[in-house]
């Protein structure tokens, strides 16, 4: 029996009392992935990206482990909810225009002390001031640096279009704007190198493209390390008490941790290890989060149909954004149908061994987005479900 076949047998036994659709987290794999993130961070604390987990119980579990400190959230409303729930260090990774949430933040000393907001434009400071509604609490601010690689005089750009702050001079000027403005305190810098951390460099069957990606990433790491160090020096000249410099992501933990200017690493997807993180030379993790769909039809030889399963992930549309049939091994989508809204045909010889009601296990493309589909995650240890915990959705929250 292969290791994957043994996992399938465990998951089927653990969830025999549960009807599919069902989502699980294998805690042994989850904890092993957490250990690997800490090892790669080489002594620097790992801030957990909540969007990649979206389950309070699992956020609490990982933050209780040595090597992890703080959360990186994705909306201001989520940040406030997490702070009210007892998380006392929440960095909002994206600018917000939620005026009502800003009014709440600036009117509550506990929330204002726990939450740091992201800005990259003076207009965002004005929006916060306009939203205060009498709130006088000082707002903790983090500046985001654009990490994209620009080549050939800026005619070629590689990386996400995020912050307009690119050079040390631009970031330092924004730091001075914050320092001059009453009611705000600059505490951090964030720089997420998505074109390094979130792009696999070992694409199966595409050796030339994989080599090109590795070359691009090596160039980008060198350029960013120097520019990030310059930015940090320039900002510390304005704000000597800067508390943190955040960088990285699951795919670049060890590289970012090696930079002296970075004080903490961000990561989250590496806990669940969704399918988009299978193609890296720098690390390998264990799939920890899976979902199962039930077999509801057997249309013919070598074909079964499962209920639902059409859960595409965000990003540029393509086959890599679809869940992948994982267990039993050897099932594929019908190219004419793909993953369907209410039913999904699957092809392959393993289909002939599946009966009506059996589970087919899938891996989602991006980590936390799975939790937007399920109210509960069943936590598996060995071949037993030891706990069932709500996702954000299960607690009645869809923040975005």
């Amino acid at each position: 029996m292969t290791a994957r076949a043994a996992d399938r047998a465990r998951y089927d036994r653990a969830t025999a009392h549960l009807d599919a659709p069902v989502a699980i987290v294998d805690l042994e794999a989850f904890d092993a992935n957490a250990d690997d993130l800490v090892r790669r961070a080489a002594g620097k604390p790992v801030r957990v990206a909540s969007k990649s987990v979206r389950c309070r119980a699992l956020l609490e579990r990982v933050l209780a482990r040595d090597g992890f400190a703080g959360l990186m959230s994705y909306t201001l409303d989520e940040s406030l909810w997490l702070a009210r729930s007892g998380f006392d260090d929440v960095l909002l990774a994206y600018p917000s225009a939620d005026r009502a949430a800003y009014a709440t933040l600036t009117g509550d000393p506990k929330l204002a002390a726990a939450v740091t907001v992201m800005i990259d434009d003076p207009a965002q400071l004005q929006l916060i001031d306009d939203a205060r509604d009498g709130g006088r609490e000082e707002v903790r601010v983090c500046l985001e640096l654009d990490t994209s690689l620009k080549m050939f005089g800026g005619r070629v750009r590689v990386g996400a279009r995020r912050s307009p702050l690119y050079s040390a001079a631009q970031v330092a000027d924004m730091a001075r704007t914050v320092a001059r403005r009453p009611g705000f305190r600059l505490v951090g810098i964030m720089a997420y190198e998505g074109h390094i951390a979130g792009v696999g460099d070992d694409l199966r069957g595409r050796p030339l493209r994989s080599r090109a990606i590795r070359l691009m990433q090596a160039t980008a790491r060198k350029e960013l390390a120097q520019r990030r160090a310059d930015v940090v020096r320039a900002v510390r000249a304005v704000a000597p008490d800067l508390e943190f410099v955040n960088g990285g992501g699951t795919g670049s933990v060890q590289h970012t941790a090696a930079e002296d200017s970075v004080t903490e690493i961000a990561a989250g997807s590496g806990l669940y290890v969704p399918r988009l993180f299978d193609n890296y030379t720098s690390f390998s993790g264990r799939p920890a989060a899976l979902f199962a769909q039930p077999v509801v039809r057997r249309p013919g030889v070598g074909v079964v149909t499962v209920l639902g399963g059409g859960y595409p992930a965000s990003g540029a549309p393509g086959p890599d954004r679809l869940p992948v049939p994982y267990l039993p091994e050897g099932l594929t989508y019908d190219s004419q149908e793909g993953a369907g809204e209410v039913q999904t045909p699957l092809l392959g010889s393993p289909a002939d061994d599946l009966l009506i009601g059996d589970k087919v296990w899938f891996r989602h493309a991006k980590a936390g987005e799975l939790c937007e589909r399920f109210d509960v995650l069943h936590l598996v240890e060995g071949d037993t479900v030891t706990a069932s915990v709500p996702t954000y959705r299960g607690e009645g929250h869809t923040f975005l």
Side-chain angles (χ1 to χ4, degrees):
M1 181 182 291
T2 67
R4 278 174 60 173
D7 283 341
R8 180 195 174 199
R10 287 196 302 114
Y11 300 152
D12 282 348
R13 287 195 298 271
T15 62
H17 62 296
L18 300 171
D19 287 333
V22 64
I24 66 167
V25 171
D26 183 331
L27 289 181
E28 182 181 331
F30 182 90
D31 291 344
N33 292 335
D35 288 341
D36 186 63
L37 289 172
V38 171
R39 177 189 63 79
R40 291 196 286 138
K44 293 187 177 178
V46 178
R47 183 180 292 272
V48 182
S50 65
K51 78 178 183 67
S52 300
V53 179
R54 302 193 203 198
C55 171
R56 279 200 302 165
L58 289 174
L59 291 174
E60 290 168 352
R61 182 184 183 92
V62 71
L63 285 176
R65 303 176 69 87
D66 290 341
F68 292 88
L71 293 177
M72 177 177 283
S73 58
Y74 60 97
T75 75
L76 183 53
D77 198 28
E78 179 213 13
S79 305
L80 300 181
W81 178 66
L82 290 170
R84 291 189 186 103
S85 301
F87 297 97
D88 60 4
D89 180 7
V90 183
L91 170 62
L92 174 58
Y94 308 88
S96 176
D98 189 338
R99 292 174 173 84
Y102 276 130
T104 300
L105 176 71
T106 58
D108 187 314
K110 178 182 176 182
L111 297 179
V115 175
T116 301
V117 304
M118 191 68 59
I119 69 161
D120 55 34
D121 189 311
Q124 294 154 351
L125 298 174
Q126 186 61 51
L127 185 146
I128 296 170
D129 272 340
D130 290 345
R132 283 180 180 271
D133 193 28
R136 297 180 179 274
E137 295 300 322
E138 185 177 64
V139 176
R140 293 169 53 85
V141 167
C142 179
L143 304 181
E144 180 168 5
L145 169 68
D146 177 13
T147 66
S148 61
L149 174 64
K150 294 182 181 180
M151 300 179 290
F152 306 108
R155 292 189 297 276
V156 175
R157 173 195 178 104
V158 181
R161 297 183 182 275
R162 292 176 65 111
S163 171
L165 305 177
Y166 189 83
S167 68
Q170 288 174 314
V171 184
D173 187 57
M174 190 70 233
R176 284 188 286 271
T177 298
V178 175
R180 289 193 297 264
R181 191 156 188 144
F184 296 91
R185 179 158 60 98
L186 178 58
V187 299
I189 299 171
M190 187 191 86
Y192 171 58
E193 52 265 47
H195 52 303
I196 304 170
V199 178
D201 64 348
D202 187 18
L203 307 181
R204 186 174 302 173
R206 305 183 70 181
L208 294 180
R209 179 163 177 79
S210 297
R211 184 177 178 182
I213 290 172
R214 288 194 289 273
L215 179 61
M216 176 276 291
Q217 290 179 339
T219 302
R221 284 196 298 269
K222 183 177 180 181
E223 185 276 334
L224 178 59
Q226 182 60 60
R227 182 157 54 90
R228 181 155 39 199
D230 293 343
V231 165
V232 172
R233 279 194 298 271
V235 172
R236 287 196 184 277
V238 178
D241 297 329
L242 202 67
E243 295 176 13
F244 64 85
V245 177
N246 180 280
T250 289
S252 69
V253 171
Q254 64 271 38
H255 301 298
T256 308
E259 295 182 33
D260 292 338
S261 62
V262 175
T263 66
E264 63 175 39
I265 309 299
S269 295
L271 296 169
Y272 287 168
V273 186
R275 65 167 295 196
L276 281 178
F277 286 85
D278 285 348
N279 305 313
Y280 286 78
T281 57
S282 60
F283 83 103
S284 61
R286 294 174 54 182
L290 303 96
F291 70 94
Q293 303 294 106
V295 174
V296 292
R297 286 178 168 165
R298 291 169 51 88
V301 175
V303 186
V304 292
T305 301
V306 298
L307 182 70
Y311 304 158
S314 60
D320 64 337
R321 301 291 147 165
L322 294 179
V324 61
Y326 184 60
L327 302 171
E329 298 179 64
L331 293 173
T332 61
Y333 290 122
D334 183 331
S335 62
Q336 300 299 311
E337 297 193 50
E341 178 187 7
V342 291
Q343 70 169 34
T344 297
L346 298 171
L347 312 180
S349 58
D352 295 330
D353 296 324
L354 291 169
L355 305 176
I356 299 296
D358 283 353
K359 294 180 175 78
V360 175
W361 295 91
F362 293 77
R363 293 173 63 203
H364 197 253
K366 294 184 74 173
E369 292 183 26
L370 171 64
C371 294
E372 298 299 330
R373 302 285 183 168
F374 290 89
D375 294 340
V376 172
L377 295 175
H378 300 282
L379 308 184
V380 173
E381 297 185 73
D383 60 0
T384 304
V385 170
T386 57
S388 298
V389 296
T391 61
Y392 280 11
R393 169 176 158 158
E395 296 201 65
H397 295 288
T398 302
F399 291 109
L400 194 62

